[in-house]
Amino acid sequence: MTQNKFRASFTVCNLWYQKKIDDAIKAYFKIDTFIPKEWIIGKEYHELWQKHIERTGKLPDELGGNQLKNAMCEEKIVIDGKEISEFSEFMEVVFVPDCVDMGDLVIQEFKTGVASSSGYARGWQGILYGYLMHVKGFPIKKVRIIHYNQYTKETEVSVVWITNKTNMMAKEWLITMASDMHAYLMENDLYSKFKELNDIELLDD
């Protein structure tokens, strides 16, 4: 019997954490996934900002205009579970940081809409991405969450500091969410049920 490899992403694990089981399963297998207008608008801004950063080496003016050192934008990173723990060989993790300043070891995460950056900073994405970059050998110091409200044209920033404590918290959260959802998919034979969809690329963040 072939062992199913669970592909963990922040989006899927966070839906599971919020106990949105049906939404997590739909996101995992990309079933009937509704894409809100706000998400489409945010994606358009992300694409414009990525092009600006790659062309100038700086953040766009509406995001502060900071000079970046060796910026890496929207690059998908895949981590085998064995790199995380001997207890997480059942999974692999895929994540896509908006921008990583490889010189200063700072992750820049961009948000649009009306929700404040502090709300995002209190969530799991920042410390998870910081931890995963540590796993890949890059000792990230902090995550800057830059929120641009396209309606009011205002920008605000929150900072998440990455420490040994946050790395341990993120690791435990990731393994717990991924193992719980993986067990649920196995117990309910959902890998087999959606076998024809299981090899497609899953939702990235």
Side-chain angles (χ1 to χ4, degrees):
M1 180 177 178
T2 302
Q3 177 66 42
N4 295 291
K5 193 86 164 180
F6 183 81
R7 296 192 70 195
S9 70
F10 168 72
T11 296
V12 169
C13 288
N14 198 49
L15 286 169
W16 193 261
Y17 170 71
Q18 295 171 345
K19 301 191 184 303
K20 298 179 180 179
I21 295 175
D22 289 344
D23 289 341
I25 292 170
K26 288 177 181 179
Y28 186 88
F29 291 109
K30 275 197 170 178
I31 304 165
D32 189 29
T33 304
F34 172 72
I35 301 177
K37 177 182 177 181
E38 292 77 12
W39 189 91
I40 296 173
I41 293 172
K43 184 175 176 60
E44 291 173 350
Y45 272 102
H46 275 63
E47 290 173 351
L48 289 173
W49 293 335
Q50 178 183 356
K51 291 176 182 177
H52 178 91
I53 293 168
E54 291 175 346
R55 185 179 70 253
T56 67
K58 296 181 179 180
L59 291 177
D61 289 342
E62 62 267 31
L63 299 183
N66 302 42
Q67 181 70 49
L68 302 172
K69 301 176 183 177
N70 190 21
M72 179 182 75
C73 294
E74 304 290 347
E75 184 169 324
K76 181 187 294 183
I77 302 171
V78 180
I79 299 177
D80 190 279
K82 291 183 289 187
E83 298 180 61
I84 293 174
S85 167
E86 62 181 303
F87 303 110
S88 54
E89 294 185 4
F90 67 91
M91 71 171 174
E92 65 181 9
V93 185
V94 57
F95 69 112
V96 185
D98 292 336
C99 179
V100 183
D101 187 332
M102 301 299 284
D104 287 337
L105 295 173
V106 176
I107 295 175
Q108 312 276 354
E109 279 295 307
F110 311 140
K111 305 296 181 183
T112 56
V114 298
S116 69
S117 63
S118 60
Y120 290 107
R122 288 192 294 269
W124 288 96
Q125 186 178 22
I127 65 171
L128 178 64
Y129 282 15
Y131 164 66
L132 292 173
M133 289 299 292
H134 271 254
V135 173
K136 295 304 291 182
F138 301 102
I140 294 297
K141 302 173 183 177
K142 63 183 178 181
V143 179
R144 296 180 75 242
I145 300 175
I146 309 173
H147 168 234
Y148 175 68
N149 186 324
Q150 68 268 30
Y151 306 109
T152 63
K153 309 302 181 185
E154 295 177 337
T155 302
E156 39 114 16
V157 181
S158 291
V159 175
V160 178
W161 293 96
I162 304 303
T163 65
N164 289 336
K165 181 178 179 179
T166 64
N167 283 336
M168 290 301 296
M169 290 170 58
K171 177 180 179 180
E172 181 179 350
W173 182 85
L174 173 63
I175 294 175
T176 300
M177 295 305 112
S179 61
D180 284 355
M181 184 170 175
H182 176 60
Y184 183 92
L185 297 180
M186 293 286 287
E187 291 168 5
N188 291 277
D189 201 27
L190 295 183
Y191 285 115
S192 298
K193 181 177 179 181
F194 300 112
K195 183 177 181 181
E196 70 277 9
L197 299 174
N198 199 35
D199 291 330
I200 66 175
E201 187 170 329
L202 305 179
L203 187 66
D204 294 329
D205 301 288

